[in-house]
Amino acid sequence: MSDAPIKKVWIEAGCISCKLCQDIVPQVFLVDDDKDCVVKPDAAQHFGGKAEDIEQAKRDCPVEVIQVERG
């Protein structure tokens, strides 16, 4: 894992709406009524303080659709 700050987080196609990412980082991820997960519009303000949790959500995602760009 890079020490560079997180610039962007997104969800690729294939989300199974398991809500794991939302459970780990509710400030960043939202799964609304069994729809695909989305990254909240104001999520970027939490990238610095929640970087470790975001990386955990990415690692733990059962379908590996969470993507993180650092730089």
Side-chain angles (χ1 to χ4, degrees):
M1 180 170 49
S2 169
D3 288 334
I6 292 177
K7 288 174 43 176
K8 183 178 175 183
V9 176
W10 70 96
I11 310 294
E12 292 186 337
C15 175
I16 59 170
S17 306
C18 71
K19 301 188 180 181
L20 182 64
C21 59
Q22 178 177 278
D23 290 344
I24 296 171
V25 203
Q27 299 89 341
V28 175
F29 301 104
L30 176 65
V31 182
D32 235 349
D33 296 328
D34 296 325
K35 294 181 181 160
D36 286 353
C37 176
V38 296
V39 176
K40 290 183 171 182
D42 65 345
Q45 69 182 337
H46 301 288
F47 289 174
K50 297 290 182 180
E52 191 173 308
D53 292 338
I54 292 167
E55 290 287 354
Q56 179 186 342
K58 178 183 177 186
R59 282 192 307 272
D60 293 353
C61 177
V63 289
E64 300 179 348
V65 295
I66 298 172
Q67 301 299 317
V68 176
E69 179 182 327
R70 290 181 173 266

